[in-house]
Amino acid sequence: MENYIPYILIDSGIDTKNNYLNNTLGGIFFSLDENKEIITSENYNDSNGHGTMCASIIKTVCSIAKPFVIKIVNDKGLTSYKLLVKALEYSMKLDIKIICISLATINKNAYFDIFNVCNNLKNNGKIIISSLHNNYLESYPASLASVIGIAGNDFNGNLNEFWFNSKNKIQGIFDGIPQFVCTKNSRFELFKGNSKATSLATGNVLNILKGKRDYSFEDINFYMDKTSSNNKWDNSELVLSKTFKFIDKDIILEDRDLMIKILEVINKKNNKNLKLKEILNYPIITKTTGINFKNIYDLLKEIENVFDIRFNFKKINAYDVCSLESLTNLVKGLIKNELL
C-alpha cells in the first residue's frame, strides 16, 4: 500500500525548495499571455506563498499528504476563472480523488463554466473542497452542490474542531484564526480565514481516505456530518474577516520587567518609541506598532535571539501573540522551560 495520500492543490504553486513540503507528485503552471491565451509551463514554484501555506496546513493535519500542484495564481495573488476552469479540466486526467481550492470568485459570468466542470468532476468520483470568499456568503466553486464548501470561524486555534452540515450550501466550518505556517523561502507567516479553514478541511478528509480510495462524495459528507461537533449555525458566522478581532485571552500580568524588555525589542525593530501604558491599549499587529502579518515573524526571530529561546512556530496562532500580555506570557513560558 502507498505510504502517502495524494491530493490536487490548485493555488499559487508550492515552494519547491522547502524541505518540509518539497515532496510533491509533480505539478504544472497555467497562465495567460498578453492575448489572454492560456500557456503551460512546468514551473510550479510558488512566487506568492499562499499555496505553500495551504500545503503546510494540510500536512500538519495529514502528515502523509502529498500534492500534485496546479499553479494558476501569480506572484501578486491574481488569477482568472478561465485558469481555474482549465485547472479543473486538467484534474480530470489525474488519478487523484481530492481537489483543494482555496480560491473563490463572485463573477456571475464564471458560473456556468465552473458549474459544468465541477459537476463533471463529481460525477467522475472527484471530491472538490473549496473555500467561500472571505467577504461574501456566496461564491464559486464553494457554493455549488457538487463541491464541499468551507468557511472559517473562531475556534481559538483548535485545528480539530469543526462544524458540518451536508444539507447546507456551505457545508463545513473550520478554524480560521491566524496561525503561523511555512511559506516561501522557508519563512513562517500568519495564515488565516477561509483559506486556512479549507486547508484544515482537506487534511481532515485526506485522513478519512487513508487506505480507502472508494469513498464517494456522499460518503465523505455523511462521515463529516457524523463526526462534527455542531450541525447548526447562523450564516452570519461564515464571514470571518468581518467579525474577527484580536481578543486577548484572560492573561494575568505577572512580570512587568519582562514585558518592558519585549517592548524594547518591538521599538528597536520597528523604529518606534512606544510606552508600556500606550501599547497596552492596542493589539500587537497594528499600524501603531508597525507590526503586520508579514513582519511579525522577523520580530519573533529577534525575540528568540534576545532571550535565547526557540519558538515552535507550527503551534503558535494569533491568540498567542495578539497583545503584549499574551506575547509576554508565551516568552515567559519558554524561559521557564529553558531553566528546568
Side-chain angles (χ1 to χ4, degrees), residues 51-52 78 162 166 192 195 231 240 268 279 292 302:
T52 301
L78 302 176
F162 68 93
S166 59
K192 68 180 179 70
S195 290
N231 300 110
L240 179 70
K268 183 177 180 181
I279 197 173
N292 55 49
E302 184 65 25

Side-chain angles (χ1 to χ4, degrees), residues 223-286:
Y223 184 87
M224 299 293 275
D225 275 335
K226 185 178 178 181
T227 56
S228 67
S229 60
N230 180 27
N231 300 110
K232 295 181 180 180
W233 58 84
D234 187 274
N235 280 343
S236 63
E237 298 178 77
L238 298 182
V239 191
L240 179 70
S241 62
K242 291 185 177 180
T243 59
F244 175 74
K245 297 179 181 178
F246 287 99
I247 303 171
D248 196 8
K249 294 178 180 177
D250 294 328
I251 297 172
I252 299 174
L253 176 59
E254 296 179 350
D255 197 328
R256 188 173 184 275
D257 291 338
L258 178 59
M259 182 175 284
I260 291 173
K261 290 179 182 178
I262 293 173
L263 178 57
E264 289 174 356
V265 178
I266 294 172
N267 280 330
K268 183 177 180 181
K269 189 70 178 174
N270 294 285
N271 195 26
K272 299 286 184 178
N273 189 30
L274 298 167
K275 306 301 181 184
L276 183 60
K277 186 176 182 180
E278 181 181 10
I279 197 173
L280 290 177
N281 295 322
Y282 297 99
I284 283 287
I285 300 175
T286 177

Side-chain angles (χ1 to χ4, degrees), residues 167-334:
K167 296 180 181 179
N168 288 355
K169 183 173 289 188
I170 299 301
Q171 296 97 319
I173 311 292
F174 284 74
D175 185 70
I177 294 304
Q179 174 183 342
F180 277 101
V181 297
C182 289
T183 186
K184 62 179 184 176
N185 302 322
S186 298
R187 288 172 57 84
F188 281 79
E189 190 173 312
L190 284 170
F191 188 41
K192 68 180 179 70
N194 295 346
S195 290
K196 177 198 172 185
T198 300
S199 302
L200 287 175
T202 300
N204 193 294
V205 170
L206 290 172
N207 279 329
I208 296 171
L209 289 172
K210 286 179 179 177
K212 300 176 181 178
R213 297 287 190 89
D214 58 339
Y215 265 62
S216 68
F217 181 87
E218 290 75 20
D219 291 332
I220 293 297
N221 276 278
F222 175 81
Y223 184 87
M224 299 293 275
D225 275 335
K226 185 178 178 181
T227 56
S228 67
S229 60
N230 180 27
N231 300 110
K232 295 181 180 180
W233 58 84
D234 187 274
N235 280 343
S236 63
E237 298 178 77
L238 298 182
V239 191
L240 179 70
S241 62
K242 291 185 177 180
T243 59
F244 175 74
K245 297 179 181 178
F246 287 99
I247 303 171
D248 196 8
K249 294 178 180 177
D250 294 328
I251 297 172
I252 299 174
L253 176 59
E254 296 179 350
D255 197 328
R256 188 173 184 275
D257 291 338
L258 178 59
M259 182 175 284
I260 291 173
K261 290 179 182 178
I262 293 173
L263 178 57
E264 289 174 356
V265 178
I266 294 172
N267 280 330
K268 183 177 180 181
K269 189 70 178 174
N270 294 285
N271 195 26
K272 299 286 184 178
N273 189 30
L274 298 167
K275 306 301 181 184
L276 183 60
K277 186 176 182 180
E278 181 181 10
I279 197 173
L280 290 177
N281 295 322
Y282 297 99
I284 283 287
I285 300 175
T286 177
K287 289 182 180 180
T288 301
T289 62
I291 301 170
N292 55 49
F293 274 30
K294 296 288 185 183
N295 65 21
I296 191 170
Y297 174 70
D298 298 309
L299 171 65
L300 294 180
K301 294 299 289 184
E302 184 65 25
I303 289 174
E304 282 186 335
N305 294 332
V306 170
F307 294 98
D308 194 23
I309 57 177
R310 292 295 174 265
F311 294 112
N312 185 348
F313 285 97
K314 294 176 185 177
K315 294 187 176 181
I316 298 176
N317 64 46
Y319 282 122
D320 298 314
V321 296
C322 63
S323 68
L324 186 58
E325 295 100 319
S326 60
L327 180 55
T328 299
N329 191 64
L330 179 64
V331 172
K332 183 176 181 179
L334 289 173

Side-chain angles (χ1 to χ4, degrees), residues 11 17 20 31 40 58 72 103 109 115 129 151 154 170 223 226 264 274 281-282 292 294 308:
D11 213 284
K17 296 181 180 179
Y20 181 62
S31 60
T40 304
I58 291 169
I72 62 169
L103 308 168
N109 294 326
F115 172 87
I129 304 168
D154 182 349
I170 299 301
Y223 184 87
K226 185 178 178 181
E264 289 174 356
L274 298 167
N281 295 322
Y282 297 99
N292 55 49
K294 296 288 185 183
D308 194 23

Side-chain angles (χ1 to χ4, degrees), residues 97-112:
K97 198 174 191 70
I98 301 299
I99 303 171
C100 175
I101 309 172
S102 289
L103 308 168
T105 181
I106 57 171
N107 185 347
K108 296 293 185 180
N109 294 326
Y111 176 82
F112 287 108

Side-chain angles (χ1 to χ4, degrees), residues 114-132:
I114 295 176
F115 172 87
N116 288 332
V117 69
C118 287
N119 198 51
N120 195 19
L121 284 163
K122 177 181 177 292
N123 290 338
N124 281 272
K126 307 287 188 178
I127 299 170
I128 304 171
I129 304 168
S130 180
S131 64
L132 179 69

Side-chain angles (χ1 to χ4, degrees), residues 81-96:
Y81 82 84
K82 293 181 180 179
L83 292 176
L84 175 58
V85 170
K86 177 67 175 179
L88 289 167
E89 289 173 343
Y90 188 85
S91 299
M92 187 72 72
K93 305 175 183 178
L94 303 173
D95 185 23
I96 301 175

